[in-house]
Amino acid sequence: MNMFCYQCEQTKNGTGCTEFGVCGKDPRTATLQDLLIHVCKSVAVVAERARESIGPKLLRDADRFIVEGLFTTITNVNFDPERLELLVRHGVSIRDEIAALQPTPFEKTGDRPERVSVVAA
């Protein structure tokens, strides 16, 4: 597995590690930490869009998840891939739960996307 990690102040030459990092992180862990950051971003986006329409408990869950996810990656102390996978799955669950409570853009406008058919040439 190829390695690229730019998640901490220890990155080689300040540009990122392409081999096992100075910190000892392996490629799988680096990838999971990147994924966790992306999940944190997606939870933040759906939570912000839904802030006025969802209950405070779900917002608290989203906010806590984001803080925990960022802390897990930024402090560069959690290299447990199983724990990182659990966090990613938990974040996706929170994101999907919030997103399910929101109307789609089509429901708001009443428009429906056109069906696209593929015709073989």
Side-chain angles (χ1 to χ4, degrees), residues 48 55 79 92:
E48 183 58 30
F79 293 166
V92 168

Side-chain angles (χ1 to χ4, degrees), residues 104-107 110-116:
T104 67
F106 306 116
E107 291 170 335
D111 294 333
R112 292 283 175 223
E114 291 182 29
R115 284 193 164 266
V116 177

Side-chain angles (χ1 to χ4, degrees), residues 37-82:
I37 292 292
H38 288 290
V39 171
C40 286
K41 289 177 181 181
S42 68
V43 169
V45 167
V46 296
E48 183 58 30
R49 288 183 183 158
R51 192 153 296 277
E52 294 179 12
S53 61
I54 64 174
K57 183 203 178 306
L58 197 49
L59 280 176
R60 257 191 323 276
D61 290 348
D63 292 344
R64 284 187 182 136
F65 167 76
I66 293 166
V67 169
E68 182 179 3
L70 293 176
F71 182 79
T72 297
T73 58
I74 292 172
T75 58
N76 215 22
V77 296
N78 189 343
F79 293 166
D80 177 7
E82 286 76 26

